Amino acid sequence: MHQEKRLPRNGKEGLLYGALISTMTVLFMTTFSIIYFAGEFNGEIAFTILKTLPVMWIIVMIIEPAIFGRIAEALTAKFTKPTDSFNSKILFRILFTVLGMSAAMTLIGDIVGNGFHPELFSSWLQYWPRNFIIVLAAESLVIQPIARFAMVKLHEAHDKKAGLAAAPQVQN
């Protein structure tokens, strides 16, 4: 039976896969947003990124699998057939996940960075479309392919190790 090597096969691999994607996305978007608003990169900006990164990563690691990942799976199942290609299914999954996560994280990121303020929702309306397009491109073209490549390499290493363990031992 053919097993998909590009996706996680168990919970431990799923956690690794999700952590890779979340880490790259949070690092990319946190850095992009802070530099975009500051207009330059310096030591103070780097420190702000390092402070913000763990908070945003924890938030993403909680809400993606608990909320938006489940919604994306359901919507992907609704818009695709079992016979559709891996690429079409993964593209729908990316689209729906990024749609929800970018909407939530644009709001949450503003709250984490600036606290509650009167312009919170108007700034969300201004920045969410930009964030959605940027993350959709980054996820589709760079982040997801890197994470899937990591899964392929992990599965190849596991398969090779299993093959060596299953091979008969020759004694001299």
Side-chain angles (χ1 to χ4, degrees):
M1 182 174 141
H2 173 72
Q3 284 190 318
E4 180 55 61
K5 289 187 177 223
R6 295 171 285 190
L7 295 174
R9 295 179 181 166
N10 57 46
K12 190 174 167 183
E13 290 178 2
L15 183 61
L16 174 63
Y17 185 72
L20 283 169
I21 292 169
S22 297
T23 301
M24 288 185 281
T25 305
V26 167
L27 180 62
F28 174 74
M29 279 311 292
T30 301
T31 303
F32 174 82
S33 294
I34 291 172
I35 292 173
Y36 178 81
F37 289 114
E40 64 177 317
F41 187 78
N42 57 39
E44 185 180 327
I45 299 298
F47 185 67
T48 302
I49 292 168
L50 288 174
K51 283 189 326 190
T52 308
L53 207 62
V55 173
M56 298 306 284
W57 186 81
I58 290 168
I59 293 168
V60 167
M61 288 298 289
I62 292 170
I63 67 172
E64 194 286 327
I67 302 169
F68 298 108
R70 292 177 184 191
I71 293 169
E73 279 296 318
L75 288 171
T76 299
K78 194 174 270 292
F79 285 95
T80 62
K81 297 179 220 156
T83 57
D84 286 346
S85 72
F86 173 83
N87 289 334
S88 66
K89 289 179 184 183
I90 210 75
L91 203 53
F92 271 108
R93 171 68 197 246
I94 291 169
L95 175 67
F96 295 133
T97 302
V98 169
L99 189 63
M101 288 297 292
S102 65
M105 293 309 293
T106 299
L107 184 65
I108 293 168
D110 195 8
I111 293 169
V112 169
N114 303 312
F116 288 97
H117 55 90
E119 298 85 27
L120 184 64
F121 293 104
S122 64
S123 65
W124 179 87
L125 286 171
Q126 180 182 357
Y127 296 119
W128 173 73
R130 178 206 66 193
N131 290 348
F132 170 71
I133 295 299
I134 291 169
V135 176
L136 183 62
E139 287 272 339
S140 300
L141 302 173
V142 179
I143 294 169
Q144 289 274 342
I146 290 171
R148 288 193 302 275
F149 179 75
M151 283 292 107
V152 167
K153 291 299 175 188
L154 178 70
H155 293 143
E156 286 174 356
H158 283 167
D159 293 347
K160 184 177 179 181
K161 188 176 177 182
L164 290 175
Q169 300 295 323
V170 177
Q171 292 182 346
N172 292 340

